[in-house]
Amino acid sequence: MDITGIAKHAKNASRHLAAVPGEQKNLALKAIIEALENHRDAIFSANLRDLERSREEGLAQPLIKRLKFQEEKLSEVITGISALISIPD
């Protein structure tokens, strides 16, 4: 699927998700947090491989720096998701 197809699919999915009860959305967000925490080592390992490939392909250093995903960024993502859970529907 090309990027346009992915965008259309995401737009259609967003319409369906808008109708999902808040409690169900929060359960999904909690599951995402749990998955991130349980797979942090795999996430960091995959990120290191991506960074290495980016260096090999000559990606500009500022872009490589932005791609770097370590503990601090993961914590920020988890905090952000937790904040979404705390917002009333």
Side-chain angles (χ1 to χ4, degrees):
M1 184 181 307
D2 67 352
I3 191 71
T4 304
I6 293 169
K8 287 179 183 178
H9 185 72
K11 185 175 181 179
N12 290 334
S14 72
R15 291 185 188 122
H16 295 288
L17 288 173
V20 174
E23 190 174 307
Q24 191 173 355
K25 289 178 197 176
N26 288 342
L27 286 173
L29 292 170
K30 288 176 185 177
I32 291 169
I33 290 171
E34 185 177 329
L36 288 169
E37 290 172 339
N38 290 339
H39 298 283
R40 67 185 343 116
D41 291 340
I43 292 167
F44 296 146
S45 177
N47 181 249
L48 287 175
R49 289 191 304 273
D50 289 343
L51 290 170
E52 184 58 35
R53 243 179 303 168
S54 297
R55 285 185 193 97
E56 290 170 1
E57 293 177 10
L59 193 64
Q61 192 60 36
L63 294 175
I64 292 174
K65 186 177 177 181
R66 289 176 65 191
L67 289 174
K68 196 171 188 178
F69 193 81
Q70 292 182 320
E71 191 66 44
E72 182 179 340
K73 283 190 180 180
L74 180 61
S75 293
E76 291 172 4
V77 168
I78 291 171
T79 299
I81 295 170
S82 296
L84 290 174
I85 294 170
S86 67
I87 297 172
D89 232 12

